[in-house]
Amino acid sequence: MTHRKPLVEALTAFQQPLPISFHVPGHKNGELSGLPQAIRTALSYDLTEVTGLDDLHYPEEAIRDAQSLLAATYGADESFFLVNGSTVGNLAMIHAVCKEGDTVIVQRNSHKSVFHALELAKTRPVYVAPEWDDESLTAVGVAFADIAAAVTAYPEAKAVVLTYPNYYGMATAGLKETIALCHSKGIAVLVDEAHGAHFQIGEPYPASALALGADVVVHSAHKTLPAMTMGSFLHVKGNLVNAEKIKKYLRMLQSSSPSYLIMASLDDARAFVQNYTQPDMRHFEDKREQFVKGLKSIPKLGVFESDDPLKLMLRSEYNSGFQLKKELEKVGIHAELADPYQVLLILPLLKQPHSYPFAEVRSRIKEAVQALTQAPREAVIVKMPIQQNISVPEISYAQLDMEAREWISYTKAFGRISAGMVIPYPPGVPLIVPGEKWTMDKLEGLMDYLSTGAQIQGDLRLEEKLICVLPATN
């Protein structure tokens, strides 16, 4: 353990003599800002690459030391701060491994940023469908047998891209065996572990993909660790992925003016997880156990505990998750997301000095559930679109760029090739991606999501009931 925070220390030392700014940013240590005072105070640390504060893209001092401590904490060969979220990590790792035309085996319920990366790199994706879990009511990971079949069918694949855990904290069984199989074929395994930055703590949390042998792992430190929004990590381990190529693409894809506030929060988040102790764990487990027990005593409320102890799903019988989320917001409880079945809570990763108003939260949740049970009820039935275990798009990304597009009604889309993504968000997993064909199952899935009030992003005009497709072929 170490309590050092090199970048935090460098920022603090820089500000101690109250330096006068004749450099960017233009708010001049917050002096010219019209923001509320509570925000302006932080702006004195919103600095740039002045002497003593290092450079994210060519680190030699505090940032280099902070990233070295990050790599040591996670057992990586090299680790990097990301100031553009896990999105830029997913973009960089795929570009570093794959060139135009390369075959990439990818988990079909990956985040939209993975699909954006595949499209930008003009790869040839091979989709492997996830398994549906009837207990968590979510699409989880891909089966080992399906990855094995894909690797056998496409031995030329340069990478396998996986998501672990899913947004709800469900961890895929057999990931270690999947990674070992890919490595035996010389195929790199790239893992979007956005929701698992805290897995490094150890049991009762699932094992990190990095510990299981993955070559590149991306963490959204801001999701479960005390980092600022957009703050993420990228880790490289082993010799299948060239870390220099990762650096090259991070320089290209990340801002050339990275936020020192975000980077300082990443330095702090690393120290937080590195110094998380067994007494801290017992403190959190005690608080969590009391909270869950209290929730389970609320009539007509279902509580599902994920593989990740930080994730809880709340369900109200005969009501959608969207309805429950709306009632929770009326009493000041803001959940991470809702889906047709449930609401997802992300608990705080408490340490010994920390407290959280769990008793008050339980009381408010009870109030929301009682209000909900008095409201008109509706059945929640959403069909998961049937996906082939292994599939490829109808046309390539290169062909997509050449094709015209047209907007048509949902009702006329059967059999047409989608020109873009349609994404229930969150969790940000596309219902359809460019080059795939609209099947009846996918269209029914879209209608189901719309009927439950889900937020849909992508290439569609909801108010006009139109979606974007390629022209029909005779």
Side-chain angles (χ1 to χ4, degrees):
M1 289 188 182
T2 176
H3 294 281
R4 287 194 59 217
K5 302 176 187 179
L7 185 53
V8 174
E9 293 161 10
L11 283 168
T12 303
F14 182 84
Q15 278 298 344
Q16 278 181 346
L18 301 177
I20 299 171
S21 170
F22 284 95
H23 54 75
V24 299
H27 59 65
K28 303 301 179 187
N29 293 326
E31 292 297 323
L32 305 186
S33 172
L35 289 168
Q37 185 59 45
I39 301 176
R40 286 180 60 195
T41 300
L43 294 184
S44 62
Y45 295 91
D46 181 36
L47 296 163
T48 189
E49 293 88 352
V50 294
T51 302
L53 294 186
D54 212 353
D55 184 327
L56 176 64
H57 295 295
Y58 295 93
E60 297 178 335
E61 300 168 322
I63 296 175
R64 179 200 61 192
D65 293 346
Q67 291 186 149
S68 293
L69 286 171
L70 177 63
T73 298
Y74 283 89
D77 294 336
E78 286 199 63
S79 294
F80 305 92
F81 287 165
L82 306 179
V83 295
N84 294 88
S86 287
T87 291
V88 79
N90 289 336
L91 290 169
M93 71 180 181
I94 288 172
H95 276 81
V97 175
C98 308
K99 63 180 184 299
E100 183 173 348
D102 280 349
T103 298
V104 182
I105 297 169
V106 58
Q107 186 170 323
R108 181 59 184 74
N109 62 324
S110 295
H111 187 264
K112 62 180 179 178
S113 60
V114 169
F115 293 97
H116 288 151
L118 296 172
E119 184 173 357
L120 285 170
K122 290 184 166 55
T123 63
R124 181 182 178 230
V126 174
Y127 303 132
V128 182
E131 296 183 296
W132 179 259
D133 179 45
D134 287 325
E135 293 187 345
S136 67
L137 300 175
T138 68
V140 287
V142 292
F144 171 81
D146 289 334
I147 291 290
V151 167
T152 299
Y154 299 92
E156 74 279 12
K158 289 294 195 299
V160 169
V161 183
L162 301 174
T163 299
Y164 168 95
N166 73 355
Y167 207 128
Y168 299 79
M170 301 302 293
T172 309
L175 180 59
K176 185 175 183 178
E177 290 74 19
T178 295
I179 293 171
L181 169 69
C182 294
H183 285 176
S184 72
K185 307 293 184 181
I187 300 173
V189 179
L190 316 178
V191 180
D192 177 359
E193 194 173 278
H195 287 265
H198 59 295
F199 287 3
Q200 184 60 28
I201 293 171
E203 293 184 354
Y205 299 96
S208 169
L210 202 64
L212 297 176
D215 302 283
V216 184
V217 172
V218 175
H219 285 139
S220 287
H222 66 94
K223 293 192 185 301
T224 56
L225 300 182
M228 290 178 64
T229 298
M230 294 178 68
S232 296
F233 302 141
L234 184 149
H235 312 280
V236 184
K237 190 172 183 179
N239 55 16
L240 282 181
V241 176
N242 187 332
E244 292 302 315
K245 284 191 174 181
I246 294 282
K247 293 177 186 178
K248 169 188 170 181
Y249 283 103
L250 287 177
R251 288 169 187 151
M252 293 171 67
L253 296 167
Q254 292 209 97
S255 171
S256 60
S257 301
S259 165
Y260 273 80
L261 288 174
I262 292 175
M263 288 190 289
S265 78
L266 288 172
D267 195 16
D268 179 64
R270 183 272 314 156
F272 181 95
V273 73
Q274 185 178 14
N275 294 290
Y276 200 87
T277 65
Q278 284 301 310
D280 291 330
M281 178 66 75
R282 287 192 294 271
H283 173 71
F284 169 71
E285 287 180 332
D286 288 344
K287 297 295 184 184
R288 180 188 179 279
E289 183 179 1
Q290 294 171 27
F291 181 53
V292 172
K293 185 177 180 180
L295 291 178
K296 288 182 175 180
S297 71
I298 297 175
K300 300 180 181 180
L301 179 69
V303 180
F304 181 83
E305 299 181 59
S306 174
D307 294 336
D308 178 359
L310 285 190
K311 304 291 182 73
L312 287 178
M313 283 86 102
L314 304 184
R315 302 165 183 168
S316 176
E317 189 177 5
Y318 303 121
N319 294 108
S320 72
F322 304 110
Q323 290 174 297
L324 177 56
K325 181 172 180 284
K326 185 177 180 180
E327 291 299 326
L328 289 172
E329 288 172 352
K330 289 179 181 178
V331 296
I333 303 297
H334 295 269
E336 172 65 15
L337 64 81
D339 67 27
Y341 307 104
Q342 57 205 346
V343 162
L344 173 65
L345 303 185
I346 300 181
L347 303 184
L349 185 60
L350 301 179
K351 286 191 172 186
Q352 280 184 305
H354 302 145
S355 62
Y356 221 69
F358 286 124
E360 174 64 21
V361 169
R362 188 259 180 200
S363 177
R364 294 189 191 187
I365 291 175
K366 181 178 180 179
E367 179 184 343
V369 172
Q370 288 174 337
L372 192 60
T373 56
Q374 294 167 8
R377 296 188 172 196
E378 60 184 42
V380 182
I381 302 174
V382 176
K383 181 181 178 183
M384 180 187 178
I386 296 173
Q387 307 276 4
Q388 292 176 277
N389 283 10
I390 300 171
S391 64
V392 296
E394 299 290 327
I395 65 173
S396 69
Y397 289 128
Q399 290 175 287
L400 275 167
D401 285 343
M402 302 290 290
E403 295 284 349
R405 280 136 168 80
E406 63 177 314
W407 292 89
I408 64 171
S409 169
Y410 306 155
T411 59
K412 298 178 181 178
F414 175 73
R416 301 292 293 272
I417 295 174
S418 179
M421 292 194 213
V422 175
I423 312 161
Y425 196 89
V429 175
L431 181 65
I432 196 166
V433 296
E436 282 190 322
K437 187 174 288 186
W438 278 105
T439 64
M440 191 56 66
D441 286 304
K442 285 186 171 67
L443 285 169
E444 288 177 357
L446 174 59
M447 300 306 167
D448 287 341
Y449 274 111
L450 291 172
S451 69
T452 59
Q455 181 183 353
I456 307 290
Q457 297 182 352
D459 296 274
L460 72 170
R461 298 174 182 169
L462 287 178
E463 68 284 354
E464 302 173 67
K465 298 185 178 180
L466 299 177
I467 52 179
C468 192
V469 298
L470 302 187
T473 56
N474 295 327

